[in-house]
Amino acid sequence: MSKGRCLGLVGGLGVGATIHYYSKLAEAHQARGRTMDCVITHGETSRVFDYVKAGNPGGLAEYLNSFLHRLKAAGAEVGVIPAVTPHYALRELLTTSPLPLISMIEPLAVELASRNARRVAVFGTRYSVESGFFGLLEGIEFVRPEPDEVDFIHRTYEELLRDGRGSDEQHLSLTALAHTLRRRDGVDAILLAGTDLSLIFNAANTDFPHVDCAAVHIQAVAKRLLDS
């Protein structure tokens, strides 16, 4: 079988998300009769959070570029960061990255438009929930949950990052919150804006309107790798 383009994956942001991307992209290659070509590095989520909390997108871009340079040296042709919070530095990365990047912003904008979803809430890290996707998605109204709800979402996400697995209790609690946001705040959809949320949500067990940002991103990455 012929190989797809070589993917450089900045892993570790968190580990569960890296495994999810790797597994789904390998399946996509196999379905097309292609061999996956991939190199992975390991970053630290805590470092990403530190740069975001400090309001330092340039420092975060420099940190992420250290991995992208290593991936390029290992033969990667395109780079992917399988997490939402690092997109805080996307503007800086687009002008400094040594590799062409496949971000989730463009395919996510297309997906939201196709669903006519203009008023959304976010499940992910505190930085993703409160930032409105860092102003990268134009024409979308972001509804911020109540402060205690933001705390709960962030705490749950940190647990997923730490443990690399989810629980029924986490699934039920976030599902109840999603329905509250739909009923109370009139949101069109919930953005599952953290790749580790795939540890507790899938197409079969998610009963509220939602967009899985990781799934949209993975589809775009697979297309780029396999259609070239």
Side-chain angles (χ1 to χ4, degrees):
M1 295 188 292
S2 64
K3 289 184 178 180
R5 300 181 73 188
C6 184
L7 168 66
L9 196 65
V10 182
L13 307 174
V15 173
T18 306
I19 294 170
H20 180 67
Y21 269 66
Y22 178 80
S23 175
K24 292 299 183 182
L25 288 169
E27 290 175 6
H29 280 72
Q30 186 174 23
R32 291 277 293 271
R34 306 283 290 279
T35 298
M36 185 171 174
D37 193 7
C38 178
V39 290
I40 303 174
T41 56
H42 181 84
E44 293 291 340
T45 305
S46 60
R47 291 286 302 277
V48 173
F49 288 174
D50 287 343
Y51 284 114
V52 176
K53 285 188 288 187
N56 186 4
L60 177 55
E62 184 176 354
Y63 176 66
L64 295 172
N65 274 331
S66 69
F67 298 107
L68 292 166
H69 279 287
R70 290 172 61 193
L71 291 168
K72 182 177 181 179
E77 299 171 77
V78 294
V80 168
I81 299 170
V84 174
T85 301
H87 280 66
Y88 172 66
L90 182 61
R91 295 180 182 88
E92 290 75 14
L93 283 170
L94 290 176
T95 59
T96 60
S97 171
L99 288 171
L101 296 177
I102 309 173
S103 87
M104 67 174 59
I105 299 304
E106 293 81 5
L108 183 56
V110 171
E111 181 69 18
L112 289 171
S114 73
R115 300 185 184 206
N116 197 30
R118 296 297 181 190
R119 184 174 168 84
V120 304
V122 177
F123 283 0
T125 67
R126 177 185 311 280
Y127 320 110
S128 299
V129 172
E130 294 183 339
S131 71
F133 252 76
F134 310 111
L136 295 167
L137 282 169
E138 298 180 358
I140 301 297
E141 181 183 359
F142 286 90
V143 176
R144 183 181 297 186
E146 297 296 322
D148 62 319
E149 295 168 343
V150 174
D151 291 341
F152 168 70
I153 296 167
H154 181 78
R155 184 171 62 252
T156 301
Y157 196 80
E158 285 190 316
E159 292 169 356
L160 295 173
L161 282 169
R162 182 193 66 217
D163 300 337
R165 63 181 184 276
S167 69
D168 291 340
E169 181 181 357
Q170 290 167 332
H171 173 264
L172 290 172
S173 297
L174 285 178
T175 296
L177 177 55
H179 286 294
T180 295
L181 292 168
R182 285 270 293 161
R183 181 183 65 256
R184 183 189 69 204
D185 301 313
V187 302
D188 299 321
I190 305 293
L191 296 188
L192 301 180
T195 45
D196 287 272
L197 289 168
S198 64
L199 296 169
I200 54 175
F201 288 116
N202 58 56
N205 72 1
T206 310
D207 66 356
F208 51 86
H210 69 283
V211 176
D212 183 339
C213 298
V216 171
H217 195 197
I218 288 167
Q219 184 178 26
V221 173
K223 180 175 177 60
R224 178 82 167 269
L225 295 176
L226 294 170
D227 288 355
S228 301

